[in-house]
Amino acid sequence: MSEFIHHQTAHCENGVTVSLLKHQGVDFISEPLAFGMGSGLFYIHIPFMTVNNGPAISFRTMPGAIFKRTCKALDVKVERKKFKDPKEAMAFLDSKLAEGIQVGCQVGVFHLPYFPKEYRFHFNAHNLIVFGKEGDRYLVSDPVMEITTSISAEELEKVRFAKGALAPKGHIYYPVEVGSITQEQIKKAIVKGIKRNCRDMLKIPGSVAGVKGIVYTSKKIRGWREKLGSRQAALHLGQIVRMQEEIGTGGGGFRFLYAAFLEEAAAIMQNDELLRVSEKMTKAGDLWRDSALLMSGIYKGRLTEQKDFDACADLLVKISEVEKDAFQDLAKIKF
């Protein structure tokens, strides 16, 4: 097996997927392709759950799904394992490293020693690669960092068994067998990823997921100032910005990433209709970034009136309309 090469990417799970597959010889895979094949784009506002005392909002699919779906679409066999006993989990990791196998790990970021302090909060769906061991220190390739690093056994065990929502429970995963991947297989993986994303954004029942979920959040924002008071309402908006811009690539970044996927897909599929939808997704990304700036102004106390909250809500309604239009167009494309 060749020496492990670190790849920096915009989002952790995309990066782990790309790095592990490239290490296995899947040279064509890129971050946008992994994100699109894995149907990573999503939106959900979970009304019965809070994160760091704020609204529970996600701009992406469930942790682990991108790696699982991308590998399945390319017929890559994978091994996944969770543990109850931290010692057993560390022993299993050591055995894989001794075999020369690099592994993906789900971890909590709060205790990651190499993360800047301002980015350490209780979020347990971060992903990184452990690719070796030197003495009692584990060699780590974190895709959102520029270079590799190392952490102690105690530090790694702590983040692998972080407590709270989405507790990783020592979750470890890696590809075990990669066959010869044909161009036709790649095309089928792209189409399957697109169709699943259209379903997730347009057809999930209820009001809290997909494009309807964005409207749900906009309605909540309109009432927060009166219901919670100006300061708590501002903190809620700050939480949305954090989920959007700081956890992975968030709202705007994920939309730009999906637009890049559609561009790559257009070339592979030789279908220019995908380019037109890509432009709409880029517009959605721009609007998400605009919303983050507006929400940040309220969070920082520069904007405090009800009209400012209404402006945030109006912008989310517009985003919902743009994304609905984009995915409806995408769903109509004949492959």
Side-chain angles (χ1 to χ4, degrees), residues 78-91:
V78 302
E79 182 76 27
R80 308 169 69 92
K81 195 171 178 64
K82 290 187 177 183
F83 303 85
K84 293 181 179 179
D85 181 3
K87 301 306 177 188
E88 181 187 348
M90 296 302 286

Side-chain angles (χ1 to χ4, degrees), residues 5-300:
I5 298 174
H6 173 74
H7 297 276
Q8 187 179 22
T9 56
H11 179 252
C12 63
E13 189 178 340
N14 296 331
V16 168
T17 302
V18 168
S19 292
L20 289 179
L21 288 179
K22 279 185 177 294
H23 190 67
Q24 294 290 333
V26 186
D27 295 328
F28 73 86
I29 198 73
S30 66
E31 182 176 13
L33 275 178
F35 187 65
M37 290 177 179
S39 306
L41 193 76
F42 194 45
Y43 186 90
I44 188 166
H45 185 144
I46 308 173
F48 52 82
M49 182 178 175
T50 61
V51 177
N52 295 313
N53 299 314
I57 290 172
S58 178
F59 294 85
R60 53 152 295 174
T61 191
M62 279 294 291
I66 294 171
F67 176 78
K68 179 181 179 182
R69 292 169 177 174
T70 301
C71 289
K72 184 177 181 181
L74 298 175
D75 199 25
V76 174
K77 292 182 173 59
V78 302
E79 182 76 27
R80 308 169 69 92
K81 195 171 178 64
K82 290 187 177 183
F83 303 85
K84 293 181 179 179
D85 181 3
K87 301 306 177 188
E88 181 187 348
M90 296 302 286
F92 184 83
L93 172 60
D94 286 345
S95 71
K96 295 295 114 179
L97 295 176
E99 294 173 27
I101 297 174
Q102 291 76 35
V103 301
C105 292
Q106 180 184 338
V107 300
V109 302
F110 188 76
H111 294 291
L112 276 178
Y114 57 84
F115 256 43
K117 287 185 178 180
E118 59 269 25
Y119 288 102
R120 291 192 210 171
F121 50 96
H122 294 287
F123 177 69
N124 291 331
H126 188 60
N127 292 269
L128 52 79
I129 294 171
V130 180
F131 66 93
K133 189 177 182 183
E134 291 181 352
D136 65 346
R137 295 191 69 81
Y138 290 86
L139 306 180
V140 170
S141 169
D142 190 318
V144 302
M145 308 301 286
E146 287 187 26
I147 59 174
T148 60
T149 188
S150 69
I151 61 178
S152 70
E154 182 181 1
E155 290 166 337
L156 182 56
E157 182 179 310
K158 195 168 190 177
V159 296
R160 289 183 69 197
F161 284 87
K163 306 298 183 184
L166 300 174
K169 299 177 182 177
H171 185 199
I172 194 172
Y173 55 95
Y174 50 94
V176 294
E177 185 180 337
V178 179
S180 57
I181 300 170
T182 65
Q183 190 71 4
E184 189 61 30
Q185 202 172 353
I186 295 168
K187 289 180 179 180
K188 286 182 179 179
I190 287 171
V191 173
K192 185 174 182 178
I194 287 173
K195 288 183 176 180
R196 183 166 44 213
N197 240 147
C198 289
R199 179 204 68 193
D200 289 351
M201 291 301 291
L202 298 173
K203 295 184 178 180
I204 290 181
S207 61
V208 300
V211 295
K212 291 179 290 186
I214 302 171
V215 175
Y216 177 88
T217 302
S218 76
K219 292 177 180 177
K220 291 292 184 181
I221 289 172
R222 290 187 200 281
W224 277 347
R225 184 173 179 272
E226 181 178 346
K227 181 179 179 180
L228 305 172
S230 296
R231 188 56 196 149
Q232 188 60 39
L235 290 173
H236 273 37
L237 290 181
Q239 168 72 357
I240 294 178
V241 174
R242 170 178 270 185
M243 300 298 287
Q244 179 180 325
E245 299 296 330
E246 295 180 8
I247 296 179
T249 49
F254 277 151
R255 273 59 191 171
F256 297 135
L257 193 56
Y258 200 77
F261 159 66
L262 293 175
E263 281 190 30
E264 290 193 30
I268 294 169
M269 307 294 294
Q270 296 185 325
N271 190 323
D272 288 345
E273 291 179 84
L274 292 168
L275 292 176
R276 288 189 282 275
V277 182
S278 175
E279 291 173 0
K280 293 182 179 183
M281 290 309 304
T282 298
K283 181 181 178 182
D286 290 336
L287 290 171
W288 276 115
R289 288 284 156 86
D290 290 344
S291 77
L293 288 172
L294 185 54
M295 290 179 188
S296 295
I298 296 175
Y299 173 73
K300 293 176 181 178

Side-chain angles (χ1 to χ4, degrees), residues 308-323:
D308 302 316
F309 285 84
D310 289 340
C312 285
D314 291 342
L315 194 47
L316 260 62
V317 171
K318 186 175 181 180
I319 291 169
S320 175
E321 291 169 351
V322 170
E323 294 198 5

